[in-house]
Amino acid sequence: MRNAFIDELVQLARQHPAIALIVGDLGYSVIEPFAEEFPERFINAGVAEQNMMGLAAGMASEGYHVFVYSIANFPTFRCAEQIRNDVAYHNLPVTIVAVGGGLSYGALGYSHHAVQDYALIRAMPNMLIASPGDPLEVRGCLRYLINNPQPSYLRLNKAGEALLHKEVPILSPGKWKLIHAGNDDSTRAHLATGYALQIAHRRLKKNSEYSHDYLFSMPLWGMECKKYQVEQVKLFDDVKVYEDHLRDGGFSSWMLESLLDAPNFLKRISSYALDPVVCGAVGSQDVMNKLGGLIE
């Protein structure tokens, strides 16, 4: 996803002179194509994430669409106050790019894990979460964000994801994107956001019980998108929701909140999320996801 992000950002920056990129003294071997082609729009802010976010807000207030790139934990929890006060409340076009969402950096220790980031970001007004499930969704998310600039959080896995779309999808906040159609009489759907789409896809391929089910992705969601969920949930008797995040404050709890005005549908939702046992543990992404109960 990292390489798809920088390649798409470079292509978009050629068309949009207001796109700027700020990094927190990392991203090397990834961000060079942008830094070399647009040096006047590239800043290394150093290991000073709070200042980096304030700088991004200031540039955005002067007309830039600023992308702030760092490993997931650092541009989120470390500068939460600046995100809320400077970016979200002022409704500025700053996209926080968090590479290594979930447990992508599982082996580097819990300082690099991002399993509570949805909970933090989705409580911010005006903030749109963009959590792509494959490299083509990364490009689809970026195209949406450029055409609809606003406070946003682009959460990327690190690398090695399978392509699950045939072409760059056209995405819309809160709308489910079909990955695999079920049989006409199927009443069960699997819905994932972010890297969990890869996990859900593998689960359907391995388990014959699910071979006739629908699989959907929802990479764009946030506070303003809950209103679309009832109409989509009501099409199925059983909706299994996947996320590489703790259930508390995560995507599945967001889905349940979206159904509070239609409580008859709440029982249709079941959740596949990480158990808090992963907090403080160390291991590869697969080992950690297995420890957290997300994969078998």
Side-chain angles (χ1 to χ4, degrees):
M1 287 190 191
R2 294 178 305 181
N3 292 338
F5 161 72
I6 202 67
D7 181 70
E8 187 70 26
L9 190 68
V10 167
Q11 293 185 46
L12 291 167
R14 291 171 183 155
Q15 306 166 38
H16 301 273
I19 291 177
L21 175 64
I22 304 177
V23 302
D25 205 29
L26 51 73
Y28 300 109
S29 300
V30 176
I31 50 84
E32 282 84 353
F34 188 99
E36 292 169 2
E37 187 166 343
F38 309 105
E40 74 286 358
R41 289 190 262 158
F42 172 76
I43 297 172
N44 180 359
V47 184
E49 283 80 4
Q50 292 97 332
N51 289 337
M52 178 172 71
M53 202 59 65
L55 171 63
M59 290 176 64
S61 70
E62 295 299 316
Y64 284 95
H65 185 161
V66 187
F67 289 78
V68 182
Y69 181 100
S70 189
I71 290 177
N73 228 31
F74 305 136
T76 51
F77 284 92
R78 188 168 288 179
C79 44
E81 185 173 291
Q82 285 75 20
I83 294 172
R84 188 189 67 165
N85 296 353
D86 299 346
V87 176
Y89 282 4
H90 287 85
N91 203 16
L92 291 172
V94 173
T95 298
I96 302 158
V97 184
V99 64
L103 296 163
S104 308
Y105 286 104
L108 296 186
Y110 60 80
S111 64
H112 287 56
H113 300 169
V115 295
Q116 300 107 338
D117 53 327
Y118 289 154
L120 174 72
I121 296 296
R122 78 179 182 89
M124 307 276 188
N126 302 317
M127 187 68 73
L128 178 66
I129 292 175
S131 191
D134 82 343
L136 291 175
E137 286 192 358
V138 174
R139 297 178 187 274
C141 285
L142 273 170
R143 293 177 191 183
Y144 180 86
L145 295 174
I146 292 299
N147 290 324
N148 301 274
Q150 64 186 99
S152 51
Y153 176 61
L154 178 58
R155 186 197 209 235
L156 305 176
N157 192 57
K158 189 170 62 174
E161 309 84 11
L163 288 176
L164 301 182
H165 292 271
K166 294 180 179 177
E167 57 187 17
V168 178
I170 297 173
L171 302 173
S172 181
K175 299 300 179 66
W176 301 8
K177 196 69 182 178
L178 182 66
I179 301 296
H180 170 72
N183 286 358
D184 291 341
D185 58 350
S186 177
T187 60
R188 186 163 55 201
H190 302 252
L191 173 66
T193 193
Y195 178 73
L197 177 63
Q198 301 275 329
I199 294 170
H201 183 254
R202 290 200 294 266
R203 186 186 291 259
L204 265 64
K205 288 183 67 176
K206 288 177 60 177
N207 194 330
S208 58
E209 178 189 357
Y210 298 150
S211 61
H212 302 303
D213 295 357
Y214 287 84
L215 175 62
F216 294 93
S217 175
M218 186 159 60
L220 295 174
W221 52 284
M223 226 179 247
E224 301 297 322
C225 310
K226 289 178 177 173
K227 57 190 175 187
Y228 301 122
Q229 302 317 304
V230 172
E231 292 303 312
Q232 296 170 109
V233 169
K234 71 190 302 183
L235 299 175
F236 301 97
D237 294 335
D238 181 6
V239 179
K240 300 185 181 302
V241 179
Y242 298 76
E243 59 181 320
D244 56 342
H245 185 279
L246 303 184
R247 182 176 294 112
D248 296 74
F251 179 58
S252 52
S253 58
W254 178 88
M255 279 295 299
L256 290 169
E257 291 168 19
S258 74
L259 301 175
L260 290 178
D261 290 333
N264 289 340
F265 296 128
L266 286 169
K267 61 184 179 183
R268 299 188 182 189
I269 302 294
S270 56
S271 171
Y272 291 86
L274 290 167
D275 188 283
V277 69
V278 300
C279 298
V282 179
S284 70
Q285 185 175 24
D286 281 349
V287 166
M288 293 288 285
N289 281 332
K290 185 175 182 179
L291 176 66
L294 197 54
I295 61 176
E296 298 174 349

